[in-house]
Amino acid sequence: QVQLVESGGGSVQAGGSLRLSCAASGVTFSSLDLHWSRQAPGKEREFVAAISWSGKVTYYAESVEGRFTINRDNAKNTVNLQMNSLKPEDTAVYYCGAILKTPELGEIHSWGQGTQVTVSS
């Protein structure tokens, strides 16, 4: 079982920055693909960014491309999401997720509890 704990959410004005962090435990961190998703009130959860287990491959939603950066620190077992040029529409609960790929059980998905990000205009 992978435990994920997010931190770094808060309130910021439009144009500002926030950095989210997610600490993982329970399995070998370097074996995990990691991602961030978000859910705004009344909307479905949507993908934000992902990073491969090696850190060499990243993916971003079009809505955050060029403003958000995902990175990981395998020495500290953390994945971070640097969010710049924030917009009111970025307001949501942000969730850290992990994918553990196993040869017999397939993919095992885990989620953190979420952290609130509020961007005011």
Side-chain angles (χ1 to χ4, degrees), residues 2-8 20-25 36 77-79 96 111-115:
V2 181
Q3 290 83 44
L4 302 169
V5 179
E6 301 99 334
S7 61
L20 305 183
S21 293
C22 175
S25 61
W36 289 93
N77 289 3
T78 58
V79 58
C96 173
W111 293 93
Q113 81 288 351
T115 185

Side-chain angles (χ1 to χ4, degrees), residues 12-15 38 40 67 85-92 94 117-121:
V12 66
Q13 290 191 331
R38 66 187 181 186
R67 299 188 297 122
S85 302
L86 283 162
K87 304 175 182 180
E89 51 263 44
D90 294 319
T91 295
Y94 283 71
V117 171
T118 302
V119 184
S120 58
S121 58

Side-chain angles (χ1 to χ4, degrees), residues 5 15 17 27 59 66-67 70 81 86 99 104 115 120:
V5 179
S17 298
V27 297
Y59 294 98
R67 299 188 297 122
I70 188 171
L81 185 68
L86 283 162
I99 303 173
E104 296 185 354
T115 185
S120 58

Side-chain angles (χ1 to χ4, degrees), residues 28-103:
T28 302
F29 183 77
S30 58
S31 66
L32 300 173
D33 293 326
L34 299 158
H35 55 91
W36 289 93
S37 298
R38 66 187 181 186
Q39 187 167 19
K43 295 186 178 181
E44 294 186 353
R45 189 175 298 191
E46 63 175 1
F47 167 79
V48 173
I51 187 166
S52 65
W53 63 271
S54 67
K56 294 180 180 180
V57 180
T58 57
Y59 294 98
Y60 297 94
E62 286 186 4
S63 59
V64 307
E65 182 84 50
R67 299 188 297 122
F68 291 10
T69 302
I70 188 171
N71 60 64
R72 64 189 295 158
D73 186 337
N74 285 351
K76 296 182 178 179
N77 289 3
T78 58
V79 58
N80 305 303
L81 185 68
Q82 178 65 43
M83 305 185 295
N84 299 328
S85 302
L86 283 162
K87 304 175 182 180
E89 51 263 44
D90 294 319
T91 295
V93 177
Y94 283 71
Y95 296 91
C96 173
I99 303 173
L100 176 65
K101 297 177 180 177
T102 68

